[in-house]
Every structure is written in structure tokens, then in C-alpha cells.
Amino acid sequence: MPRRTATMLASTLMLIALLCAGVFIPVPYSEMSPGPTVNTLGEHDGEPVLQISGRKTYATTGHLNMTTVRVTSADYKMNLVEAVYGWLAHDNKVVPHDTLYPDGKTEEQSTQENAEEFSQSQESAKVAALKALDIPVQSWVIVSTVVKGTPAEGKLHAGDVIKAVDGTAVKEPSDVAELVTKHKPGQDVVFTIVPAKEQAAAEKERRTPTKTEKITIRTAQSDDSSEKRAIVGISAGTDHTFPFTIDIKLADVGGPSAGLMFSLGLYDKLTPGSLTGGKFVAGTGTIDDDGKVGPIGGIEMKTIAARDKGAQYFLTPADNCATAARDVPEGLTLVKVDTIDDALGALKDIRSGATADLPKCTTKS
């Protein structure tokens, strides 16, 4: 065989081998891409996203769209060809697999965590919207989770209301850990609680809970501390009672990043007129009970999804502004917000046409 022919054959075989390796060898990366956007003022799958009963609501116009990101599943292994294509594609982003699924989380674990964050996001959105409207909201400290194999297992349950620890009234979730850690491991701590079932019945019947219990738990030593810190094995959170019924109907969505847009949608439906003035506004951001807006992941994907859907303005968490401003889709204005009040102020400027006054994102902000 002539040398030139042999060289070409060897090169071709090597190229085929490399292509096969690129297709069949998995790489430790996952892909993010723009996901669906949903108007919180409209319908999804044939029913209103925001449903309010027991309180007067108002018709509104325009869009207040929440945005999402699609990601490859935890179990899916990208190959080298897919990773290279994703790196080159403008609308996609390839990131290390552990960025999306840290600590070896399974798809099921990630889905469960996202569902819990989404549920908490809805509650905080309701609280933030009602507080902005000066509508009273009752709140109390609850047992959020009980860690398996700890002293609290079988004695405290998720949803139990924590009224006091060792006779000291509890007002904030942080009070619980502070009071427990005053003990040494092996000492008893006494919880005064309203059982979750009694609390649920009282809420349903719109009455004050009448049944309380005192639960004594012997503390253990924390495994993650070199200090002898006492624990019982629970995390505390906050639950609320609202003066009317609010339901957020949106399936197949997870995570906390829709909080801001849910709160604005509720505010719009509970007030006369239109917050957007008929404009197409999208956005993202977590929100806490006090209306503080927090950063989210995948901001570049969300701005692309919003603009593709037709958004003119994008409400952007302050801590995401610098990243988002590096590559802004044409025709989209990024508006910097740090609180629900910032967002309401920006929407006022948008509907009045005073867009020069908007606090816009820059690569330095």
C-alpha cells in the first residue's frame, strides 16, 4: 500500500475512533437551556395560575411572567459531542454536573427538594404581597423537618407548632436553636407544641387551637461540630394563616425563583388597575416574608426565554444584574430590583412611560 494511502487511511480510522469516543464516552457535565415562561396573571393548563377567594379581586392586563430553566436530568450523561455543541450554542450553557446536582443527588432527591422550595416560595410570595398591601398575616414557628435517627424522631413531627422551649416563648425559628443549644448534650429540653393535626383542624374551622402538649426530649451531640453542641434533630420554619384563600396552581415547576413574580401577580389582582399598564414584563427572583428579593441560578437562560416570549422588561435581582448585563437579548430592558417595593416602583415607571427613571442593570451592578 502506498505511504500516502496508508497515511490517509490511518488518519480516517483515527478520526472515526475519536468521533466514536466523543459519542460514547460520557463527560461530567450537564446542560441548561431556556425553559417555559408563564404569565402569573393568566391561565396555565386551562385554569388561573393565581386563585383568590374570600376577597375582592380586580381585572388586570399585561404580563407578569415567571421564567424557568430546563436542565438535563441527574441520571443523564452528556457525551463529548453534546458538551462541545452546548458550549458553542448561544442559547445553552454547559456546566459541571455537580453544579446542578451537588453531593451526588439523585433525580428523585433533586425533584423533592425543588418541590419543597417551590412550596415555601409560594408561601413567602403570599406573605410579601399581603404585607405590601398592609393586610395582616398571622404567623408562627413550626417544625419544618425531623431528621431520621435523632432524638426528636417520633416525638416531634413536621407541622407541629412550637409555642415555647423550656417555658420561653418562641417568636422566630432562630429562637429554637438558640434555646436548645443552651443545653449540654444529654440534658433534657421541653417543647410546648400544638400538634400538627390540631393546628390543621383549627385553621380549617377558623378557630384558635385549644390543644397543647409538652414534649421532653433528651439532647444529643451534633455530628458536624468539634464543639459539644446540643441538638434534638429538627429544623424550624415559619407557617402562616391568611385572612382569605390563596392558591397558586402551577404544576411541573420547582425551586424558589418564581417568588417575586407570584407576589407581584397577587398584588396586581388585589388592587384596582394594572401594575404593568398592559406592558409585557417578565422576571425572576426569590422572595422572603419581608419582601427581600434574592438571586437565582440560570439568569442568562431566563432572559433569553423571556425575550423569546415577547417580554420588553425583565425584573432582575440586584445580585444577578452584573451577570445578566453581560449578554442582554436585543429589545429587553433589565431592571434592577432588591425588594418588592423596588419592583412596584419600577412597574409604576413602566406603566407611566417614565422608563428613563428605571434602575437598569449594568455589568458593574
Side-chain angles (χ1 to χ4, degrees), residues 10 27 41 57 82 93 99 139 170 173 186 214 241 319 324 332 358:
V27 293
L41 302 175
T57 57
E82 291 173 321
K93 186 175 182 180
T99 301
S139 61
V170 168
K214 289 189 176 182
T241 292
D319 289 342
L332 187 67
L358 289 172

Side-chain angles (χ1 to χ4, degrees), residues 78-89:
M78 294 185 72
N79 60 50
L80 184 59
V81 172
E82 291 173 321
V84 170
Y85 179 83
W87 276 315
L88 296 175

Side-chain angles (χ1 to χ4, degrees), residues 119-120 123-124 127 131 137-144 160-162 170-174 235-242 289:
S119 177
Q120 181 57 53
E123 289 300 295
S124 293
V127 176
K131 281 187 175 181
V137 177
Q138 290 183 316
S139 61
W140 51 85
V141 177
I142 64 166
V143 176
S144 291
D160 288 345
V161 177
I162 305 173
V170 168
K171 296 181 180 179
E172 301 289 340
S174 58
S235 60
T238 307
D239 203 356
H240 310 89
T241 292
F242 302 102
D289 291 358

